[in-house]
Amino acid sequence: MPLLPYRSYVLISREQIARNYRSVRAAAGRNVGVMGVVKADAYGHGAVEVARILAAEGAAWLAVSSVPEGVALRHAGIQAHILVMTGFLPYEWQNMVTFSLTPAVHSLSDVAELNRMARDSGRTVDYHLKIDSGMHRMGTRASAAEIIGVLRSTTHANLDGLMTHFASAADFTSSQTEEQSAYFARIVEELRQAGITPAHIHLSSTNALAYQRNPAWLTMVRPGHALYGYVSPTRGEAPKPVLDVKPVLTWRAKIMTVKDVPEGALVGYGGSYRAPQAMRVAVIAAGYADGVPHRLSNRGKVIAAGRLTPILGTVCMDLTTIDISHASALGPGDEVTLLGHEGDAHLDAQQIARIAGTISYNILCGIGARVERVFV
Ligand SMILES: *Cc1c(COP(=O)(O)O)cnc(C)c1O
């Protein structure tokens, strides 16, 4: 692999993103659409590039978190439908309609408000109604009768989709997913009996799809994590995931300096590491400002010269110190791997997350803006 002129960078495989997308599509089945979730800069991978890859694979829908994220995709020329999953605030209205973004709407009063804004501007606006089926985060808890009542009175807001979100799809010790599915199914059915059949019905993100919790009647799935190569670990007795996805990202950093320290030397802030013997350490150009969790201090590992090696002392803002006693050939300008494969060693976001006491999503989204994204 050629060395790139960046102190810290991630390499992202276009081909692996496309493969992951195809695996999702195969698992979703023939008549089910795949909405690619590219919120939070595509979980740190770069939303514009990822959106282009998904669009080239035929994705008709993308999902972002906010209006500005949707606008950024439109500025880059992305033409797919874009669902704004957290909806919009009144001051975002203009950008939402100008850039043809589709909001998720989370309450019946917001449906009425959307209808009023659309009518006043002389247009019709599509939206997806989010049902809170039991996660108690976003979405309406209104009954089907109440929803039908409001839909009957809307003239300029068009119900294009109905959605909900699972709280515990990877947890097979809990009945929450079945309860949420049943709640949502009841609303979909009551709306259908009232003659309301939105074009899109979607509830499954990565885990529900991977562990086959998606009911037969949905029309679209909504994965993010899987596109980036991950499926969450399960609790309880779970089936094997049906997705064949792999991480797409490799994170590397340059060594800035190397030194030999004597037995008893204290390394880094607070002297929290004491060398048990003479050793060679390297200082690498990535710290917590780049997304190396501070919690990896004296706990985490990186790969140097093809071997896992410990982080020594505290992770600093811009720098991290590691043990390279096994790799005397390494010097300034050489690279180590923070996430990915090198030789026989590998580290993925789930392994790092476990050590840092967090989740893989947090590791991926935490990779800092100054870490160059390089697509290969
Ligand atoms: C983030 C998100 C998704 C994607 O979830 P993954 O677990 O990454 O597949 C789907 N739907 C909603 C509402 C989300 O917030």
Side-chain angles (χ1 to χ4, degrees), residues 37 39 43 85 130 137 165 205-206 222-225 361:
V37 178
K39 66 188 176 188
Y43 297 37
M85 292 193 294
K130 175 107 169 245
R137 190 179 64 175
H165 191 47
S205 52
T206 294
R222 215 172 52 224
H225 214 204
Y361 296 74

Side-chain angles (χ1 to χ4, degrees), residues 35-39 43 63-65 83 85-86 104 106 130 135 137-138 163-166 202-209 221-228 230-232 361:
M35 175 185 277
V37 178
V38 296
K39 66 188 176 188
Y43 297 37
V64 296
S65 187
L83 180 70
M85 292 193 294
T86 63
H106 298 99
K130 175 107 169 245
M135 181 171 179
R137 190 179 64 175
M138 289 191 116
M163 63 189 285
T164 192
H165 191 47
F166 291 126
H202 47 105
L203 58 166
S204 294
S205 52
T206 294
N207 293 336
L209 176 65
V221 292
R222 215 172 52 224
H225 214 204
L227 302 176
Y228 311 107
Y230 292 91
V231 172
S232 298
Y361 296 74

Side-chain angles (χ1 to χ4, degrees), residues 144-227:
E146 291 166 326
I147 294 169
I148 291 162
V150 168
L151 292 181
R152 293 257 188 264
S153 67
T154 54
T155 50
H156 291 72
N158 175 50
L159 182 71
D160 181 53
L162 209 50
M163 63 189 285
T164 192
H165 191 47
F166 291 126
S168 314
D171 186 354
F172 284 79
T173 67
S174 147
S175 57
Q176 193 175 8
T177 302
E178 287 76 14
E179 286 157 21
Q180 288 194 255
S181 286
Y183 181 98
F184 188 60
R186 211 156 45 235
I187 290 191
V188 170
E189 177 56 20
E190 285 182 47
L191 263 57
R192 195 188 62 77
Q193 284 174 15
I196 298 162
T197 54
H200 306 292
I201 297 176
H202 47 105
L203 58 166
S204 294
S205 52
T206 294
N207 293 336
L209 176 65
Y211 299 111
Q212 298 275 278
R213 293 182 155 219
N214 42 319
W217 40 262
L218 53 61
T219 69
M220 194 148 67
V221 292
R222 215 172 52 224
H225 214 204
L227 302 176

